[in-house]
Amino acid sequence: MMRGNMNNMMRQVQKMQKQMAEAQDKLKEEIVEGTAGGGVVTVKASGQKQIVDVAIQPEAVDPDDVEMLQDLIVAAVNDALTHADELSAKRLGKFTQGMNLPGF
């Protein structure tokens, strides 16, 4: 009797692992966006925190204030990565709910 329960539990775990792997793969394809400076700098990232695009409006480029542009890029990247974390938590949270797993 116990062996049947254990086998059933193992099948459930394998099914959950497969679903989680599929969800992680989909995160590669989902894109989030971060902005700074009222949208003069836009950064796009995948759900797996890979930067895929950076757009800088011409008005953000001031040769006399390169530091401001650098700060805007950092802010937009951080905004995009925050959105990627939120997306990942939303997509993968159902798999880790109730478990205390570091990094999830």
Side-chain angles (χ1 to χ4, degrees), residues 70-96:
Q70 292 168 335
D71 290 344
L72 288 171
I73 293 169
V74 169
V77 167
N78 287 332
D79 189 37
L81 295 179
T82 296
H83 290 298
D85 282 339
E86 291 167 354
L87 179 65
S88 180
K90 182 178 175 183
R91 297 290 188 262
L92 301 177
K94 62 184 172 191
F95 299 108
T96 58

Side-chain angles (χ1 to χ4, degrees), residues 6-94:
M6 188 63 133
N7 286 339
N8 189 32
M9 187 172 81
M10 289 303 295
R11 276 194 293 273
Q12 291 292 341
V13 168
Q14 289 171 339
K15 180 180 176 184
M16 186 178 82
Q17 286 174 329
K18 182 180 178 198
Q19 291 171 336
M20 189 170 178
E22 289 170 355
Q24 288 173 326
D25 282 345
K26 287 181 183 176
L27 283 173
K28 290 178 192 174
E29 299 167 11
E30 292 192 66
I31 303 298
V32 295
E33 188 173 281
T35 61
V40 295
V41 176
T42 302
V43 173
K44 293 181 181 179
S46 74
Q48 288 189 328
K49 296 197 223 180
Q50 297 294 311
I51 304 302
V52 296
D53 187 48
V54 176
I56 301 171
Q57 299 299 315
E59 60 266 24
V61 181
D62 180 353
D64 296 326
D65 195 0
V66 173
E67 190 174 300
M68 182 186 72
L69 177 57
Q70 292 168 335
D71 290 344
L72 288 171
I73 293 169
V74 169
V77 167
N78 287 332
D79 189 37
L81 295 179
T82 296
H83 290 298
D85 282 339
E86 291 167 354
L87 179 65
S88 180
K90 182 178 175 183
R91 297 290 188 262
L92 301 177
K94 62 184 172 191

